[in-house]
C-alpha cells in the first residue's frame, strides 16, 4: 500500500492531484497498466475500459425528464424522510462548498441542491438533475462506483476515469432496502477538487445509516401487521393451508402442513414460488410439483395503508388428500375494512346513522362529485378500455363521453409519447397512486400536455380498474419550453461571447470561468478553480478589496474600468460589470463578473481625443461661424468665430437654446430668434438648406449672412443634431450691388440703342405725315396714323421703364383661380373679335401661391395676348391649373402657327420677337417676374401645331 496514492487531511491537494493526473495519463495511454492508485479505483478503471468508456470524449447524458423525476418522488414512500434529511445536509454543506445530491438505484440524479454558483459550474460536466452517473455511463465516479461495490466511496480529482470530471471530488454512500436487499438510491456530496472536507464521506454514510435504520423499523412494523393478518386468518373459517410473505418473499408464518410438507426452507423462503410472485402487484396463481402430486398456489397481495406490504398465499394440495376444501379460500380485504375476524364491518351506530344527512349517501351526491368536477376524470379497466368520462374530460379532449367509451386509453396518447405509455399504464406501476405528465391528442388533431393523477380501484384486494384525473398543462409546458430556451441561449452566450465571464462565490473565489476568460488572461479553468482572482495586479489589491466590500454592502450591479494582468504579466484595460446573485429569500449566493478587453478601445479613444483637438483647432481657425446643436436646438459646441460674431465669448452657451441665448446677447437678439425659425425649416425639409439671413442690429447696423444648415438623423430617421455654418457676406453683397448697377447701366445703354431703333421708325412715319399736312395734303386718316405711331412709341417706352425701373414687390398669398378669371375676363373681348375661345380647366384642389398679384396678371396677359395674336384665323386657348406635389402648374395651350424649334432658346432675350410689331421685352419681363416668384417658365412649340407655355409656382399655406 505504500506505493499507492492515498489522501488524508495532511496531504497537499495540488501535489496529489498532479500525481493522480500523471498516473491517469500513463494508464489511458497504455504506458502503465498498473497505476499507483487505490485498488478500488484501479478495479473501476478496468471496468471502464472493458465497457469501452472513452476517458476524453465520454460525457454523461440526461436520462430522466422532469415528469419522470416528479413521478419518482410521488411514488417514493421514503420522501417524507429523504427530503428533510437532504435539506439538513444542504444546510451543513453550504460552508464546506459541496452540492447535495440523491440518485435513484440506476444512478440517475433525482435531487440536486446547494450553492447556486457551484451548480452553475457543475453544469459544465452535465451534473444536473436527471443526468445518469452509473459507472457504465459516466466512468469512475463516487455515485456509480458505490452502486457497483455496494459501499461508501470517495473519488478525488484525477481518480475519476473521465477527464471532464477530474475538477471535482465526490463522496457517495448507497442505500439498501433491508427487505429485498436491493439498492434504493445513493447519497452524494460533490465539491471542487480543492475542497477535500474530511467529514464528507462520513456525512453521506451517516445519511445512509439513518435511512436504512428507518427501513428496518418499517420492516418490523410491516411484519407485525402481517403476523396480525395471519392470526386473523387462523381464527377465521379458512380451511385451506396458507402462509404470509413479506415484501422480500420471506415467510412470516405458515400453516403447519406447509412446514411438514417442506414448502418452507431454512431461510424462510417459499419453495417453488416463481420470482415474479414477490412483485405483489395483483393476484396470481402457479403450480409446483411435490412428491405426492401437483400443488396449486394462489397469491393475493395484502394492502395496508394503500400500499402492499406483503401477501397471503393459499395452497391447494393434490386431490384434497389432507381434507382441505378446494376454492374456498377466504378473500383478504383491506386492512381496517373488516372486523377482527375478517368479516364485514358493522353498520354505523344508530345514533350517528340517524343524524347523517341522507343526501351524503345518495347516488346523486357521488354523481355530482364526478360530473361537476372541474378536472377531467376518466375511468378505465385493466385493459385500458374507457368505462366512463365526465364533462370536463369531454371539454379537454373534444370527444363525447360515448366516443370515449368506445375507445382505449392508449389511443388518446400521441405516438411520440410511446415510451411514456409503457410505464404509467403498465401493471408494474399500477399498484399505487401515480402522478405523471403526458401528451394526449384532441379530437381536432392538436396535442394537449396534461398532468395525470392515476389511482387504482380495488375490489376484494385486487385492482379492478383505474381512474385518471387530468389537468391541462399546455400553458405550463410552454413556459417551461421558454425557460429552457432562455437557458440554452444563456449557455450559447457563455460559450460564444467574446466577454470574459467569471462566477465567484460569496468569498470571491472562482467557481466557473468561460473560454473567453482563458483566452483573454491565459489561465485555464483548472488552474483557477477555487482560487482568488489572479488577474488583480499587486499594486491594485488594496483598491480591489475596497471594491469587494462596497459590492457586498450595496448588492447592486457595479461597473468600472481598471487595469488587469494576464498570466504572462502584461497589463490590459478591461471594462467590468459585477452583478450579485441572490436566492429566492434574498440571501447573497454568488457574483457574476463580465469583463471586456477595452485596450484597443482605450487606444482609439486616446487617438479620438487627439483628432478632436486637431479638428477643434481647424474649426477655430476657420473664418466661418460653425455651431453644433442637439435635436432640441440646444447649443453643444461653437467655434471662436461663432462666439465672436454673436458676442458670446464670456457666456456659458452650452445647453442653451437660441431663445435663451437671445436674452444673453441683446445686440443679436433678433438674429438668434430668426435663427430658431430657420432651424425649424431645416428640420421640416429634412435636408441641407442654404439661405441668406438679414440681421438688424440694435445700434442700427445691418448684416447679411450666407447660412447653411445641415440636419443630422439616425438610421431610424430620428433627428440627432444640426450643424450651422454661416459667413458674414455684408461686404460681398455691397460689392455685388455695385457690380449689378454697373451691369445695369451697360444693359440700359444697350436697351437705349434698341429703343432708339424702335422709336425711329414710327418717328419717321410721323414726320412724313406732318410734312404732307404742311404741304396742304390734309386728310383725317393722317392724324389717326400719327396717333397710332405715338401709341407705339409710348408702349415701347413703358415696357422699357418696367424693365429698368426698380420695383417694390410685396408678396402676399393669393388664390390663382380668381386671378385667372380676371385676366380671361379682361381679354375676352379681344379674343371674341379674333374668333378665339378661352377655356379654363381648374383643379378644385389647387391651392394658393405667395405672389405679387399685378405682376402675375402682367405675365398671364402677355402670354394670352401672344396666343391670340398667334391665331389669325381663330381657334381655342386652354388654360389648365392643377397642383403637382409642392407646386402649382399653369399650362396655356394655343392652336396657333407655332414657333420654329431653333428660335425657342432665344425667347426672352431683349427685343427678340417672332411678331412683326413685337419688341421682345414683354416675354423677357415675364421670365423675370416668374423667377422673382421662385418659379419656372418653359415654352414648347411645334410649327403649325401650336405652343404650350408651362409655369410652375411653389404653393404656400393659406392664411389663418
Amino acid at each position: 500500500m505504500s506505493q499507492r496514492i492515498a489522501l488524508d487531511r495532511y496531504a497537499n491537494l495540488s501535489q496529489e492531484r498532479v500525481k493522480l493526473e500523471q498516473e491517469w495519463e500513463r494508464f489511458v495511454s497504455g504506458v502503465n497498466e498498473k497505476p499507483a492508485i487505490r485498488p478500488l479505483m484501479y478495479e473501476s478503471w478496468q471496468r471502464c475500459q472493458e465497457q469501452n468508456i472513452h476517458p476524453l470524449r465520454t460525457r454523461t447524458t440526461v436520462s430522466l425528464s422532469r415528469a419522470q423525476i416528479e413521478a419518482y418522488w410521488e411514488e417514493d414512500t421514503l420522501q417524507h424522510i429523504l427530503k428533510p434529511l437532504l435539506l439538513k445536509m444542504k444546510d451543513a454543506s453550504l460552508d464546506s462548498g459541496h452540492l447535495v445530491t440523491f440518485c435513484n438505484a440506476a444512478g440517475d440524479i433525482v435531487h440536486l441542491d446547494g450553492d447556486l454558483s457551484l451548480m452553475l459550474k457543475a453544469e459544465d460536466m452535465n451534473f444536473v438533475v436527471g443526468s445518469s452517473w452509473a459507472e457504465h455511463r459516466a466512468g469512475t465516479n463516487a455515485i456509480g462506483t458505490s452502486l457497483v461495490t455496494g459501499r461508501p466511496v470517495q473519488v478525488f480529482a484525477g481518480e475519476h476515469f473521465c477527464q471532464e470530471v477530474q475538477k471535482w471530488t465526490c463522496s457517495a454512500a448507497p442505500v439498501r432496502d433491508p427487505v429485498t436487499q436491493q439498492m434504493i438510491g445513493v447519497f452524494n456530496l460533490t465539491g471542487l477538487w480543492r475542497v477535500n472536507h474530511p467529514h464528507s464521506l462520513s456525512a453521506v454514510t451517516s445519511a445512509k445509516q439513518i435511512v436504512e435504520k428507518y427501513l428496518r423499523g418499517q420492516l418490523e412494523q410491516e411484519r407485525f401487521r402481517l403476523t396480525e393478518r395471519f392470526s386473523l386468518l387462523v381464527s377465521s373459517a379458512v380451511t385451506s393451508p396458507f402462509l404470509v410473505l413479506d415484501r422480500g418473499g420471506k415467510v412470516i408464518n405458515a400453516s403447519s402442513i406447509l412446514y411438514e410438507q417442506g414448502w418452507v426452507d431454512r431461510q424462510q423462503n417459499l419453495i417453488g414460488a416463481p420470482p415474479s410472485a414477490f412483485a405483489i402487484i395483483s393476484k396470481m396463481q402457479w403450480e409446483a410439483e411435490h412428491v405426492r402430486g401437483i400443488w396449486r398456489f394462489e397469491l393475493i397481495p395484502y394492502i395496508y395503508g394503500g400500499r402492499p406490504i406483503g401477501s397471503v398465499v393459499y395452497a391447494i394440495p393434490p386431490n384434497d388428500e389432507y381434507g382441505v376444501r378446494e376454492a374456498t379460500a377466504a378473500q383478504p380485504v383491506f386492512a381496517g375494512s373488516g372486523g377482527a375476524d375478517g368479516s364485514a364491518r358493522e353498520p354505523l351506530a344508530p345514533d350517528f346513522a340517524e343524524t347523517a344527512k341522507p343526501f351524503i349517501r345518495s347516488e346523486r351526491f357521488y354523481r355530482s362529485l364526478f360530473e361537476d368536477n372541474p378536472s377531467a376524470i376518466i375511468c378505465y379497466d385493466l385493459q385500458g378500455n374507457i368505462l366512463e368520462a365526465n364533462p370536463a374530460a369531454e371539454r379537454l379532449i373534444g370527444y363525447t363521453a360515448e366516443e370515449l367509451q368506445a375507445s382505449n386509453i392508449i389511443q388518446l396518447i400521441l405516438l411520440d409519447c410511446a415510451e411514456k405509455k409503457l410505464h404509467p399504464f403498465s401493471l408494474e406501476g399500477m399498484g399505487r397512486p401515480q402522478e405523471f405528465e403526458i401528451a394526449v391528442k384532441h379530437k381536432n388533431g392538436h396535442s394537449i400536455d396534461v398532468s395525470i393523477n392515476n389511482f387504482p380501484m380495488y375490489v376484494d384486494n385486487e385492482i379492478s380498474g383505474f381512474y385518471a384525473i387530468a389537468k391541462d398543462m399546455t400553458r405550463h409546458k410552454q413556459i417551461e419550453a421558454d425557460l429552457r430556451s432562455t437557458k440554452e441561449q444563456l449557455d450559447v452566450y457563455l460559450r460564444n461571447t467574446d466577454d470574459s465571464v467569471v462566477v465567484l462565490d460569496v468569498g470571491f473565489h472562482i467557481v466557473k470561468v468561460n473560454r473567453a476568460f482563458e483566452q483573454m488572461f491565459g489561465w485555464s479553468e483548472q488552474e483557477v478553480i477555487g482560487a482568488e482572482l489572479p488577474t488583480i495586479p499587486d499594486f491594485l489589491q488594496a483598491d480591489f478589496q475596497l471594491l469587494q466590500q462596497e459590492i457586498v454592502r450595496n448588492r447592486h450591479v457595479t461597473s468600472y474600468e481598471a487595469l488587469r494582468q494576464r498570466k504572462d504579466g502584461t497589463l490590459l484595460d478591461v471594462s467590468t460589470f459585477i452583478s450579485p446573485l441572490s436566492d429566492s429569500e434574498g440571501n447573497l449566493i454568488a457574483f457574476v463578473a463580465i469583463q471586456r478587453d477595452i485596450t484597443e478601445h482605450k487606444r482609439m479613444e486616446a487617438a479620438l481625443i487627439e483628432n478632436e483637438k486637431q479638428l477643434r483647432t481647424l474649426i477655430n481657425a476657420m473664418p466661418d461661424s460653425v455651431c453644433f446643436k442637439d435635436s432640441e436646438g440646444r447649443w453643444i459646441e461653437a467655434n471662436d468665430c461663432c462666439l465672436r460674431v454673436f458676442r458670446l465669448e464670456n457666456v456659458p452657451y452650452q445647453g442653451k437654446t437660441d431663445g435663451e441665448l437671445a436674452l444673453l446677447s441683446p445686440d443679436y437678439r433678433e438674429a438668434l430668434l430668426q435663427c430658431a425659425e430657420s432651424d425649424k425649416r431645416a428640420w421640416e425639409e429634412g435636408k441641407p438648406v442654404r439661405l441668406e439671413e438679414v440681421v438688424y442690429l440694435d445700434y442700427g447696423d445691418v448684416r447679411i449672412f450666407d447660412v447653411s444648415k445641415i440636419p443630422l438623423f439616425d438610421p431610424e430617421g430620428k433627428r440627432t443634431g444640426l450643424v450651422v455654418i454661416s459667413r458674414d457676406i455684408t461686404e460681398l453683397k455691397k460689392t455685388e450691388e455695385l457690380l449689378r448697377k454697373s451691369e445695369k447701366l451697360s444693359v440700359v445703354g444697350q436697351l437705349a440703342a434698341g429703343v432708339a431703333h424702335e422709336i425711329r421708325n414710327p418717328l419717321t412715319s410721323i414726320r412724313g405725315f406732318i410734312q404732307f399736312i404742311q404741304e396742304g395734303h390734309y386728310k383725317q386718316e393722317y392724324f389717326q396714323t400719327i396717333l397710332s405711331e405715338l401709341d407705339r412709341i409710348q408702349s415701347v417706352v413703358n415696357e422699357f421703364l418696367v424693365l429698368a425701373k426698380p420695383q417694390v414687390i410685396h408678396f402676399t398669398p393669393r388664390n390663382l383661380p380668381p386671378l385667372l378669371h380676371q385676366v380671361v375676363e379682361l381679354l375676352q373681348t379681344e379674343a371674341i373679335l379674333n374668333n378665339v375661345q378661352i377655356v379654363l380647366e381648374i383643379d378644385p384642389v389647387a391651392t394658393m401661391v405667395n405672389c405679387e398679384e399685378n405682376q402675375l396678371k402682367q405675365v398671364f396677359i402677355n402670354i394670352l395676348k401672344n396666343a391670340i395674336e398667334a391665331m389669325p384665323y381663330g381657334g381655342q386657348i386652354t388654360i389648365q391649373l392643377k397642383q403637382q406635389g409642392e407646386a402649382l402648374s399653369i399650362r396655356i395651350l394655343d392652336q396657333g402657327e407655332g414657333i420654329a424649334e431653333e428660335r425657342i432658346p432665344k425667347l426672352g432675350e431683349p427685343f427678340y420677337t417672332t411678331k412683326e410689331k413685337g419688341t421682345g421685352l414683354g416675354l423677357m419681363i415675364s421670365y423675370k417676374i416668374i423667377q422673382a416668384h421662385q418659379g419656372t417658365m418653359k415654352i414648347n412649340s411645334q410649327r403649325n401645331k401650336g405652343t404650350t407655355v408651362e409655369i410652375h409656382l411653389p404653393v404656400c399655406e393659406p392664411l389663418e
Side-chain angles (χ1 to χ4, degrees), residues 337-339 341-347:
S337 63
D341 58 352
S343 60
R345 183 174 298 204
E346 290 294 325

Side-chain angles (χ1 to χ4, degrees), residues 185-202:
V186 182
F187 285 101
N188 176 67
L189 286 175
T190 296
L192 295 169
W193 69 268
R194 292 179 182 271
V195 181
N196 185 38
H197 199 283
H199 301 302
S200 59
L201 186 60
S202 61

Side-chain angles (χ1 to χ4, degrees), residues 355-653:
T355 59
K357 297 180 180 180
F359 77 88
I360 292 181
R361 291 175 292 176
S362 70
E363 181 181 354
R364 285 184 299 171
F365 172 75
Y366 295 105
R367 174 58 60 180
S368 175
L369 288 177
F370 177 77
E371 293 182 348
D372 299 332
N373 199 307
S375 298
I377 303 177
I378 296 178
C379 301
Y380 58 96
D381 61 20
L382 293 176
Q383 289 72 41
N385 299 314
I386 297 177
L387 305 175
E388 197 166 2
N390 70 344
E394 295 178 323
R395 293 191 297 270
L396 179 64
I397 53 181
Y399 294 95
T400 64
E402 291 75 15
E403 291 172 327
L404 290 172
Q405 290 169 5
S407 61
N408 191 283
I409 190 71
I410 300 298
Q411 295 173 347
L412 298 178
I413 302 171
L414 291 178
L415 293 177
D416 56 0
C417 294
E419 182 179 351
K420 292 184 179 181
K421 288 181 187 178
L422 302 177
H423 173 66
F425 298 102
S426 62
L427 287 176
E428 286 77 4
M430 290 180 173
R432 65 186 67 180
Q434 295 174 289
E435 183 176 356
F436 54 91
E437 294 179 4
I438 205 163
V440 299
K441 56 185 176 183
H442 192 273
K443 184 177 181 180
N444 294 335
H446 63 271
S447 66
I448 305 173
D449 293 302
V450 294
S451 171
I452 294 180
N453 285 283
N454 209 31
F455 301 91
M457 296 184 293
Y458 291 94
V459 175
D460 292 333
N461 255 9
E462 291 188 64
I463 299 176
S464 60
F466 308 88
Y467 61 96
I469 301 176
K471 293 183 179 180
D472 191 348
M473 298 286 291
T474 306
R475 176 60 180 164
H476 177 71
K477 284 288 186 180
Q478 182 60 48
I479 294 174
E480 284 186 346
D482 293 342
L483 290 175
R484 281 196 302 272
S485 175
T486 301
K487 183 180 180 299
E488 290 171 0
Q489 292 174 10
L490 179 60
D491 291 340
V492 170
Y493 167 76
L494 290 176
R495 289 194 300 269
N496 299 291
T497 181
D498 292 332
D499 295 335
S500 160
V501 180
V502 183
V503 180
L504 305 164
D505 62 19
V506 291
F508 286 90
H509 295 93
I510 296 176
V511 175
K512 178 183 176 66
V513 299
N514 68 344
R515 189 184 312 154
F517 174 90
E518 297 176 332
Q519 296 171 348
M520 185 181 297
F521 295 103
W523 283 282
S524 67
E525 186 179 53
Q526 186 81 356
E527 294 176 292
V528 298
I529 288 296
E532 295 181 348
L533 277 171
T535 59
I536 312 300
D538 292 338
F539 63 89
L540 291 178
Q541 286 290 344
D543 293 341
F544 186 66
Q545 290 177 3
L546 293 175
L547 179 64
Q548 288 176 335
Q549 296 171 8
E550 182 182 350
I551 293 172
V552 172
R553 183 172 59 254
N554 296 334
R555 295 194 179 189
H556 294 154
V557 176
T558 304
S559 62
Y560 60 91
E561 294 181 0
L563 279 174
R564 292 295 177 259
Q565 68 180 11
R566 298 186 178 93
K567 186 177 182 180
D568 60 10
T570 59
L571 299 177
L572 69 160
D573 290 289
V574 297
S575 173
T576 304
F577 289 84
I578 296 185
S579 175
L581 299 178
S582 303
D583 59 18
S584 58
E585 297 178 357
N587 299 316
L588 189 64
I589 57 175
F591 299 94
V592 176
I594 301 175
Q595 301 175 96
R596 176 170 296 179
D597 185 353
I598 60 171
T599 305
E600 181 64 17
H601 173 75
K602 283 288 187 180
R603 187 194 65 77
M604 294 176 62
E605 186 177 292
L608 184 62
I609 292 173
E610 182 61 29
N611 291 337
E612 185 180 353
K613 289 181 180 178
Q614 296 175 0
L615 181 60
R616 181 178 295 276
T617 301
L618 175 62
I619 292 177
N620 284 332
M622 291 175 60
D624 295 337
S625 168
V626 181
C627 173
F628 298 92
K629 300 180 181 180
D630 65 13
S631 59
E632 302 299 326
R634 292 184 290 264
W635 286 41
I636 301 174
E637 198 67 56
N639 68 347
D640 294 343
C641 178
C642 180
L643 298 178
R644 188 168 54 252
V645 167
F646 288 98
R647 298 186 181 178
L648 298 172
E649 296 95 328
N650 299 317
V651 174
Y653 66 90

Side-chain angles (χ1 to χ4, degrees), residues 14 142 237 387 520 598 601 665 771 798 900 903:
S14 298
L387 305 175
M520 185 181 297
I598 60 171
H601 173 75
S665 181
Q771 288 177 347
N798 287 340
R903 305 183 68 178

Side-chain angles (χ1 to χ4, degrees), residues 165-227:
V165 196
Q166 291 182 355
K167 302 171 185 176
W168 300 82
T169 294
C170 310
S171 302
V175 180
R176 287 184 183 273
D177 186 340
V179 180
T180 63
Q181 292 302 306
Q182 295 178 349
M183 294 292 183
I184 295 177
V186 182
F187 285 101
N188 176 67
L189 286 175
T190 296
L192 295 169
W193 69 268
R194 292 179 182 271
V195 181
N196 185 38
H197 199 283
H199 301 302
S200 59
L201 186 60
S202 61
V204 294
T205 303
S206 175
K208 153 198 167 69
Q209 293 171 347
I210 291 173
V211 174
E212 289 182 348
K213 179 180 179 181
Y214 170 81
L215 290 173
R216 286 192 294 271
Q218 187 181 60
L219 175 61
E220 292 300 322
Q221 293 180 2
E222 291 177 356
R223 286 180 171 176
F224 175 76
R225 298 296 178 188
L226 290 169
T227 301

Side-chain angles (χ1 to χ4, degrees), residues 886-928:
E886 298 298 322
L888 282 182
S889 171
I890 306 101
R891 301 177 76 236
I892 301 174
L893 304 86
D894 65 40
Q895 299 173 344
E897 299 174 348
I899 305 170
E901 185 176 354
E902 66 274 8
R903 305 183 68 178
I904 292 177
K906 297 180 180 181
L907 296 177
E909 293 182 2
F911 304 110
Y912 183 83
T913 179
T914 60
K915 296 186 293 183
E916 181 179 353
K917 297 181 180 181
T919 64
L921 296 177
L923 200 53
M924 188 188 75
I925 292 172
S926 296
Y927 271 112
K928 181 180 177 182

